[in-house]
Amino acid sequence: MITVALAKGALLKDSVARFAAAGLDFAAVLEPGNRLLMVPSVCGRARALLVRNADVPVYVAYGQAQLGVVGYDVLREHQLPVAQLVDLGFGGCRMSVAVKASSPYRRAADLPAHCRIASKFTRCAQDYFAALDLPVELIHLAGSVELGPITGMSEAIVDLVATGRTLQENGLIAIEDLFHSTARLVGHPLSLRLDGGELQGIVDQIATAGAPAGAPAGAVTA
């Protein structure tokens, strides 16, 4: 049986739709009363694991799921050994540096050396500021990183931005983007190498279902 790791939350509905296009119906996970964390597909060929977004590549890397859907931001932050197969295109957002709107800084390079940066994505932030050759002190926060600059604990934050509304409502502005993120279909490398064709068939159908007219299916871009 094929096991698929699906992220709870914003990516779930579109993820279910893509697998439905490949013949795997996991619609039961979307039912309001569902409390199951492991749900079989209607056809009985597969099952879905409902996990947190950050845990999807963990289940795939350890082979407990052969396929999964996860945000590119998570892949960049955790860098686990999974195969990126398809850029699914939904769940679009950007990883950004943000400061208080009243701050004099308008570029990341303007930030003072050894300033404090609050983030859930400390590896992404570390790599970015290292590339700028700007030494900073990183503060890991699990939630509401916007409070860092508001309280004066940090000069800036590195966080995901979709509409920018949360930043605006808290008096912050994004000054620079690290990268753009979308949902990605990932796979367990060994399972893919040993695949007799069934996994690849699902991957191909998912890629084709999401490809714009006239565009090549399945391309993964950073």
Side-chain angles (χ1 to χ4, degrees):
M1 179 175 286
I2 296 169
T3 302
V4 175
L6 298 179
K8 301 175 184 177
L11 300 182
L12 185 57
K13 185 176 180 180
D14 286 322
S15 299
V16 169
R18 289 299 179 87
F19 277 97
L24 299 180
D25 185 352
F26 297 123
V29 303
L30 300 174
E31 295 176 2
N34 177 62
R35 294 294 181 269
L36 295 175
L37 299 177
M38 183 183 293
V39 178
S41 63
V42 172
C43 66
R45 291 193 301 130
R47 59 187 178 186
L49 306 180
L50 277 180
V51 301
R52 294 183 63 179
N53 193 28
D55 291 337
V56 169
V58 179
Y59 281 93
V60 175
Y62 281 90
Q64 304 309 306
Q66 289 77 52
L67 298 172
V69 176
V70 63
Y72 179 62
D73 54 291
V74 173
L75 298 176
R76 284 282 293 262
E77 178 67 16
H78 297 286
Q79 297 183 17
L80 288 166
V82 299
Q84 292 191 52
L85 304 173
V86 183
D87 182 345
L88 297 171
F90 59 82
C93 55
R94 63 191 195 274
M95 187 72 71
S96 301
V97 181
V99 297
K100 290 178 70 172
S102 59
S103 165
Y105 310 120
R106 288 299 176 266
R107 298 184 309 151
D110 294 337
L111 290 164
H114 306 293
C115 70
R116 293 182 298 242
I117 309 292
S119 184
K120 303 182 189 77
F121 302 92
T122 49
R123 175 175 280 174
C124 291
Q126 182 177 20
D127 291 347
Y128 181 72
F129 285 104
L132 291 179
D133 197 25
L134 179 63
V136 297
E137 178 185 347
L138 294 170
I139 302 171
H140 184 269
L141 292 176
S144 300
V145 294
E146 295 84 3
L147 283 170
I150 293 172
T151 61
M153 183 172 67
S154 69
E155 280 76 17
I157 64 172
V158 170
D159 201 17
L160 288 176
V161 177
T163 64
R165 182 176 175 181
T166 301
L167 292 180
Q168 183 178 14
E169 291 180 348
N170 287 282
L172 306 179
I173 57 170
I175 59 172
E176 208 150 324
D177 294 339
L178 283 66
F179 56 83
H180 288 263
S181 176
T182 50
R184 306 296 170 97
L185 179 68
V186 297
H188 180 240
L190 181 58
S191 295
L192 292 167
R193 285 199 296 272
L194 298 177
D195 177 38
E198 189 172 16
L199 286 178
Q200 189 59 52
I202 293 170
V203 172
D204 291 344
Q205 288 176 300
I206 289 175
T208 302
V220 173
T221 57

